[in-house]
């Protein structure tokens, strides 16, 4: 069992940056692939980024490539980060952290067994 808690959301102007963090409580965190997803009202939850258990492999949605960076710290903090830069209005949403015990680095929500409660990120002028 893994418990995930996100933080770092907030309000930012277009072109600004946010850094989201997800702290995992679980002994096997370092063996799980991790992902970030986002959701806005009336829309399905969509994939943003994923990272392998070692951090050596990452995968991004086309809409965030070159602007977002996913990273993880297995040794010290059991934490996954999502650095978001050059933010756009369409990046607004609730951002969820998720863990895949089978470590697949996949973009589908069905691949992830554990989810956090989400943190709101709003891009507005």
């Amino acid at each position: 069992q893994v418990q995930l808690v996100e933080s770092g959301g907030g309000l930012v102007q277009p072109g600004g940056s946010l850094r989201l963090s997800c702290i995992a409580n679980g002994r096997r965190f370092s063996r799980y692939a991790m992902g970030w997803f986002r959701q806005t009202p009336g829309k399905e939850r969509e994939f943003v980024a994923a990272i392998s258990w070692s951090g050596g492999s990452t995968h991004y949605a086309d809409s965030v490539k070159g602007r977002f960076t996913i990273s993880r710290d297995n040794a010290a903090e059991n934490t996954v980060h999502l650095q978001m830069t050059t933010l756009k209005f369409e990046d607004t949403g609730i951002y969820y952290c998720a863990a895949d015990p089978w470590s697949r680095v996949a973009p589908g929500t069905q691949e992830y067994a554990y989810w956090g409660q989400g943190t709101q990120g709003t891009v507005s002028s």
Side-chain angles (χ1 to χ4, degrees):
Q1 187 73 19
V2 175
Q3 293 179 324
L4 305 173
V5 178
E6 303 95 336
S7 63
L11 174 65
V12 64
Q13 293 184 340
S17 300
L18 281 175
R19 180 177 172 84
L20 306 183
S21 297
C22 172
I23 295 177
N25 179 2
R27 291 186 302 170
R28 297 188 60 82
F29 167 79
S30 63
R31 292 298 180 181
Y32 293 177
M34 299 297 295
W36 284 97
F37 292 76
R38 67 187 179 194
Q39 190 168 22
T40 54
K43 294 187 177 181
E44 293 187 354
R45 195 168 297 187
E46 67 171 353
F47 171 75
V48 175
I51 188 167
S52 63
W53 67 270
S54 67
S57 178
T58 57
H59 180 45
Y60 296 93
D62 288 342
S63 60
V64 306
K65 280 181 182 177
R67 300 189 298 120
F68 290 13
T69 303
I70 188 171
S71 62
R72 68 187 297 162
D73 183 341
N74 293 339
E77 300 179 342
N78 270 14
T79 303
V80 176
H81 301 287
L82 184 68
Q83 179 67 50
M84 307 189 293
T85 63
T86 319
L87 285 162
K88 305 176 181 180
F89 292 119
E90 53 265 39
D91 293 318
T92 293
I94 299 175
Y95 283 77
Y96 296 91
C97 174
D100 173 13
W102 296 273
S103 200
R104 289 166 290 191
V105 196
T109 57
Q110 68 275 13
E111 313 293 348
Y112 294 82
Y114 305 107
W115 293 83
Q117 294 300 306
T119 184
Q120 176 72 46
T122 302
V123 183
S124 176
S125 56

